[in-house]
Amino acid sequence: MTDDASVLIEGPWTHRFVGANGSRFHVVEAGTGPLVLFLHGFPEFWWAWHRILPMVADAGFRAVAMDLRGYGASDKPPRGYDGYTLAADVAGTIRALGERSAILVGAGAGGMIGWTTAAFHPQMVTRLIVMGAAHPLRLRAALFSDPRGQVAAATHTLKYQLPRYEHVLARDNGAEVGNLLRRWGGREWVNSADFADYEARCREAITIPQAAFCAMEGYRWAFRAGVRLHGYRFVKMMQKPLITPTLQLHGTQDQAILPRTAQGSSRYVKSSYEWLPLRGVGHFPHQEVPELVTSEILRWAK
């Protein structure tokens, strides 16, 4: 049986636990300076940032990657996977780290949480860098208006609405996680020597008890929120334009969130905004081109 200790991987960083928003979160920290907080996506965990953390720390920042609620070594409560709570987790973690604000970097589902945190807690996010993630309202619009594009790309997530689908995700040592990484990743990375190790670590992390269930719950809330009152309130709150300077990186080969879906996100930002397409890159730029992503994070952070 896999346990939380499997994600406490040694390296040029420190592992610790912080209490925030009523839960305990595992964070991995390197360097000193202004806080840069990294939010991983699905089906990943904090290890998504293992290459980028030391480079950002060396550049004079306090680089911290957290395991999101339900992932890795963080708490796995049965509820709290709605947009409001996930944003409050991030805001609470910034405070628990002794900071008033942070530069936020999010990928995939973590990028969606980044957008939400910047909307709900604007004073706490000084800069936002998202990759592989459309603004939540832009994604919502594309799911209504682009049946051959974004709807087709998202059909597998409809399976996540099925009760107990988490058992499919975790069986055969998380084989389905490997399938997702292959489907969404850029061809060059998927065929590289680095891919096998990354796949093995993500597969192992999803087999930690309750991790697969928690991962599914975020998708289930997003789907249900589209037809419920608290989802309507969420949409109203997200319509307020962001005052956070935002950099949006997106792989031209991203098969999870299509570039044309992500590109419309600029309409929700009234501060400075930049769109940067990454040629030949898929849904995981932080794994596929970590040096390029790091240089863009540092450019935007400074």
Side-chain angles (χ1 to χ4, degrees), residues 254-273:
D254 194 328
Q255 298 297 310
I257 303 295
L258 301 185
R260 67 178 186 241
T261 299
Q263 201 161 8
S265 302
S266 59
R267 61 176 290 197
Y268 298 103
V269 185
K270 73 174 178 186
S271 185
S272 52
Y273 169 88

Side-chain angles (χ1 to χ4, degrees), residues 12-14 28-33 36 53-58 61-65:
W13 44 64
T14 307
V28 182
E29 189 170 358
T32 55
V36 183
L53 273 182
M55 291 191 278
V56 171
D58 288 347
F61 291 91
R62 182 185 183 191
V64 178

Side-chain angles (χ1 to χ4, degrees), residues 40-45 47-48 71 107-108 156 160 169 173-192 194-206 219 253-256 281-288:
H40 65 82
F42 168 81
E44 305 176 283
F45 64 108
W47 185 249
Y71 286 87
H156 63 278
Y160 300 167
L169 195 62
N173 297 321
E176 178 62 14
V177 164
N179 296 338
L180 289 171
L181 292 171
R182 266 188 209 84
R183 184 187 306 160
W184 291 344
R187 293 308 90 202
E188 197 175 314
W189 173 60
V190 167
N191 294 320
S192 73
D194 293 331
F195 179 80
D197 177 69
Y198 192 69
E199 179 197 4
R201 290 189 188 275
C202 289
R203 284 176 63 171
E204 183 178 37
I206 208 72
Y219 282 94
Q253 284 188 12
D254 194 328
Q255 298 297 310
V281 173
H283 187 58
F284 305 98
H286 48 297
Q287 290 306 310
E288 300 177 43

Side-chain angles (χ1 to χ4, degrees), residues 94-159:
I94 293 169
R95 282 192 288 266
L97 291 167
E99 305 283 354
R100 287 183 167 177
S101 62
I103 297 155
L104 219 50
V105 183
M112 301 280 277
I113 296 167
W115 283 114
T116 309
T117 307
F120 289 8
H121 308 277
Q123 265 58 54
M124 300 194 72
V125 185
T126 54
R127 290 265 190 286
L128 177 64
I129 299 119
V130 291
M131 57 202 87
H135 185 280
L137 299 192
R138 178 64 202 125
L139 178 58
R140 192 171 181 266
L143 288 172
F144 283 112
S145 65
D146 189 8
R148 289 188 174 176
Q150 191 57 57
V151 176
T155 45
H156 63 278
T157 61
L158 294 176
K159 295 182 204 157

Side-chain angles (χ1 to χ4, degrees), residues 20 69 83 90 97 118 135 142 159-160 171 211 233 242 298 300-301:
R69 171 183 293 257
V90 175
L97 291 167
H135 185 280
K159 295 182 204 157
Y160 300 167
R171 78 180 172 213
R233 201 169 80 239
L242 257 61
L298 296 176
W300 203 248

